[in-house]
Amino acid sequence: MRAVEVRCAACSPDAQFVVCATSTALVGYDWKAGRVAFEASASIRTLAYHPTESLELATSGAGLKLWRLLHKNLKARPPVEALGDKDFSTHAWLPNELLVAGTTGGSVVVVQRNEMTQRFDAKHTGSVQAIVPLEGSFAAVCEDAVACVFVQAEKAKKTVSLSRRVVLEGLRGLYAMAAFPRSTATLACCRDGLAFFDVADLLLVTTGPDL
């Protein structure tokens, strides 16, 4: 078996599949069967599973693409095109099944049923590196640690609006963020090391190269 570089990976909600992305392909591994279950040619930056549907996942890169597993084959829907010459840099499914993505140009988009329904341009000073789900909202954070917090409209649950835009003091050169389930604590990977950040309250908990 030849070694390949894995860019990212995600586990299905039912814990049966682990999907890995290389520079040229998506590879799904079946834990129960102990073998590769499916493969598809693709060049992507990030991937994420649907929050409840183990047969559906999304990938981001030159376009935002939704995939569905049918009869052991990954079938791709037409991609949501990138904005201008900017690629999609990251994305995340929210608990209400909204798909939110960020671009290398600092824009944030909301996707429903494989169609872009909302677009927020020029809200960040750099590439959006993380989409962090929060209770009833989410935060989009760029590489310069600028966070835009969006909230869902009370009357239109599938619509979001920008609530606030702040600089996360203490974080610089952000690469990625990962939220902990049932917690507002978020692990941030930065140029100077790791940090724990409470995105809901916009407070830096602790930071350091060794943490």
Side-chain angles (χ1 to χ4, degrees), residues 1-203:
M1 179 181 294
R2 64 186 182 87
V4 295
E5 179 185 356
V6 175
R7 291 183 171 181
C8 52
C11 185
S12 63
D14 62 1
Q16 180 177 355
F17 300 111
V18 173
V19 179
C20 301
T22 70
S23 59
T24 59
L26 279 173
V27 181
Y29 186 80
D30 188 328
W31 281 117
K32 295 180 181 179
R35 59 178 175 79
V36 173
F38 52 85
E39 291 186 61
S41 297
S43 179
I44 65 173
R45 288 173 176 265
T46 58
L47 66 91
Y49 255 103
H50 186 281
T52 60
E53 178 55 70
S54 294
L55 301 181
E56 188 163 345
L57 65 152
T59 61
S60 56
L64 184 66
K65 187 178 292 186
L66 274 67
W67 303 75
R68 188 164 182 82
L69 182 62
L70 297 172
H71 307 296
K72 297 183 180 181
N73 292 311
L74 273 180
K75 300 295 184 181
R77 299 178 186 176
V80 177
E81 298 297 334
L83 308 178
D85 60 348
K86 305 302 181 183
D87 289 347
F88 284 104
S89 52
T90 188
H91 65 282
W93 291 96
L94 303 185
N96 64 354
E97 300 185 9
L98 279 183
L99 181 59
V100 181
T103 74
T104 55
S107 299
V108 176
V109 302
V110 177
V111 175
Q112 299 181 54
R113 299 181 183 275
N114 209 48
E115 293 185 3
M116 188 186 306
T117 56
Q118 288 184 275
R119 170 176 164 176
F120 301 88
D121 290 335
K123 302 302 180 184
H124 291 89
T125 56
S127 174
V128 178
Q129 297 295 86
I131 304 293
V132 183
L134 303 171
E135 185 175 354
S137 62
F138 67 91
V141 189
C142 77
E143 57 191 345
D144 294 331
V146 175
C148 289
V149 179
F150 295 83
V151 296
Q152 297 178 19
E154 294 184 3
K155 295 183 178 180
K157 296 298 184 181
K158 297 295 184 177
T159 302
V160 303
S161 60
L162 179 61
S163 172
R164 50 183 168 164
R165 182 177 182 273
V166 297
V167 176
L168 303 182
E169 297 295 342
L171 297 184
R172 287 296 181 270
L174 181 70
Y175 298 133
M177 298 181 80
F180 289 85
R182 301 181 182 181
S183 171
T184 59
T186 300
L187 179 65
C189 179
C190 308
R191 180 177 54 226
D192 299 326
L194 301 176
F196 274 113
F197 208 92
D198 192 323
V199 176
D201 295 328
L202 302 175
L203 294 174

